[in-house]
Amino acid sequence: MYFSPIISYTALWLIGVCALCVLVVAAYYFFRVRTVITYRRRADNERPDKPDADYLPASVIIYSQGDAENLRELLEIVLNQDYPAAYEVIVVNEGEAGDVRDTVGMLRGRYSNLYLTFTPEGVVNLSRKKLALTLGLKAARYDVAVLTTSAAIISSPQWLRRMTRRFDVNSPVEVVLGVAVVDPEEDSHTGRRRRAFDFVVETVRWLGVAIAGKPFRGTEYNIAYRRSAFLRNKGFARSLNLHYGDDDIFISEIAKGSNTEVELSEDSIVRLRHGNHPRLFNERVLRRIFTERFIRRKPRVLQLLAGILQVVAILTGAAAAFIDWPNLQVAIIVSVILAAMIAMDIIIWRKAMKALKSRPLLLTIPWLVLTHPARRAMARLRSRLSKQKKYTWD
């Protein structure tokens, strides 16, 4: 082994490729991941700057699947929001459920702005969730509609104020994308670090481009849009043959950079109930991958490309060190480049996970970054082979 400033042309070329890959990844981190982190931090420092009189009346639509206990907990918070304008709460349950009727009935004695409706039994060849949301939106009295589900946990009495503050009488805003996070305490099963990381990566993927003015997706647990935009788009007409797509296919149809805002303040964030349980997590991933093919504005592949480029950086760096071995000069240069890449992974993703209230990972981050493209490819394969209900005739 020896040190020599003389490096072969092939090794030099491979070092250049290695360095270029790391620079491209750094650019992605700066313009996409860091954007989400900065936006989230800035949102916490903002205070609502509009007078109370300028808030518009709103309709909160809650989709429920018969989970009366969780629904009651959610309603207690939603019905006691610190909201300066009139608002109503419409619960749409999938099918009739006596316990849901009783829960809403007891609360309705105290809250006259609470309403309940059911989707009819025996509906076939139609997405029951889309039918439920359509019933809720058509029943709504106000143009601003805020949608969530009984699987969400809302902690702040300022949630509704934050989700609707972007809407105004003369404002072009028609869509507000909120965020849902997973409480680390909700997942204690094997693979929890992997699931936490993948959840944050997927969230950053659509949030980053939405902040950049190219929205293509939201989350069903925390989203707001104008009822008039829903009706103008003829609701979910273009995806009625699919069970899902209400928060990605539909949003890709109505959301544009000029009419969409992202809300990431602390008060606006909701938590998912058992959101990263292995079965629920896998179902959500497969569902998203399937509906993605129907999105009008295709999602960016930069995040997957970033993971692939890191693998390329390692392979080309190792090849350069091997070709010029035993010249330690090449090995040291490659080690410095790859060490910088690993440090960048840890710093940026740890900050992103903190911003989105996820599990605080550290040393496992570089491995999770490198293997993410492979996990995504396997998920695509599972989605194609899955027997999960996708079309309404399934």
Side-chain angles (χ1 to χ4, degrees), residues 194-220:
R194 170 181 52 79
R195 285 189 294 275
F197 179 80
D198 287 354
F199 183 88
V200 170
V201 168
E202 183 61 26
T203 303
V204 167
R205 184 175 175 233
W206 61 264
L207 270 180
V209 294
I211 293 170
K214 300 176 182 178
F216 70 90
R217 170 177 290 170
T219 173
E220 61 182 315

Side-chain angles (χ1 to χ4, degrees), residues 65-348:
Q65 291 179 294
D67 44 351
E69 183 177 347
N70 294 335
L71 178 63
R72 181 183 179 87
E73 180 183 333
L74 179 64
L75 286 174
E76 290 285 1
I77 293 293
V78 174
L79 289 165
N80 288 285
Q81 289 290 295
D82 176 18
Y83 194 65
Y87 75 98
E88 62 181 354
V89 179
I90 303 172
V91 176
V92 188
N93 193 71
E94 189 175 298
E96 291 208 36
D99 51 353
V100 170
R101 186 187 296 276
D102 293 341
T103 295
V104 175
M106 286 188 293
L107 290 172
R108 184 157 169 72
R110 287 187 287 148
Y111 303 98
S112 59
N113 60 334
L114 174 61
Y115 305 94
L116 171 67
T117 186
F118 298 94
T119 58
E121 300 284 356
V123 174
V124 294
N125 295 334
L126 189 65
S127 167
R128 296 181 67 85
K129 183 180 181 185
K130 289 174 185 173
L131 174 61
L133 295 180
T134 300
L135 290 174
L137 285 160
K138 287 190 173 182
R141 291 188 293 171
Y142 306 124
D143 189 42
V144 175
V146 186
L147 287 77
T148 187
T149 82
S150 55
I153 302 173
I154 296 173
S155 303
S156 173
Q158 300 287 320
W159 168 73
L160 186 57
R161 184 189 285 260
R162 284 293 188 168
M163 286 299 295
T164 61
R165 69 190 179 109
R166 312 277 184 173
F167 296 105
D168 208 343
V169 174
N170 300 315
S171 169
V173 175
E174 293 186 311
V175 182
V176 173
L177 304 178
V179 71
V181 300
V182 176
D183 188 338
E185 300 299 324
E186 290 284 333
D187 186 7
S188 58
H189 299 81
T190 302
R192 54 189 176 275
R193 292 176 179 82
R194 170 181 52 79
R195 285 189 294 275
F197 179 80
D198 287 354
F199 183 88
V200 170
V201 168
E202 183 61 26
T203 303
V204 167
R205 184 175 175 233
W206 61 264
L207 270 180
V209 294
I211 293 170
K214 300 176 182 178
F216 70 90
R217 170 177 290 170
T219 173
E220 61 182 315
Y221 307 103
N222 198 17
I223 196 168
Y225 45 78
R226 291 187 184 269
R227 181 173 176 269
S228 54
F230 175 83
L231 297 176
R232 187 175 64 245
N233 193 66
K234 298 181 180 178
F236 307 114
R238 295 180 182 87
S239 61
L240 281 179
N241 62 323
L242 306 176
H243 277 293
Y244 303 102
D246 52 282
D247 60 352
D248 49 12
I249 300 174
F250 172 70
I251 291 302
S252 76
E253 292 171 351
I254 68 169
K256 300 183 289 291
S258 58
N259 74 344
T260 303
E261 294 283 350
V262 175
E263 181 59 57
L264 287 183
S265 60
E266 178 80 20
D267 291 326
S268 72
I269 295 175
V270 306
R271 291 183 293 122
L272 298 188
R273 201 180 301 274
H274 308 299
N276 255 21
H277 185 281
R279 180 182 60 82
L280 296 176
F281 178 83
N282 289 331
E283 288 179 356
R284 184 170 60 239
V285 169
L286 297 182
R287 187 171 72 228
R288 286 288 205 185
I289 288 174
F290 173 72
T291 54
E292 208 169 76
R293 71 182 69 171
F294 301 98
I295 291 176
R296 280 186 173 181
R297 287 179 289 280
K298 296 298 182 183
R300 303 295 184 182
V301 297
L302 289 179
Q303 201 288 318
L304 291 176
L305 181 62
I308 294 171
L309 287 177
Q310 293 204 33
V311 174
V312 173
I314 292 174
L315 293 177
T316 53
F322 177 78
I323 287 172
D324 266 26
W325 186 261
N327 183 4
L328 292 180
Q329 184 86 354
V330 177
I332 290 174
I333 293 173
V334 169
S335 297
V336 170
I337 294 173
L338 296 183
M341 181 184 77
I342 291 172
M344 181 175 61
D345 284 342
I346 293 175
I347 292 170
I348 198 74

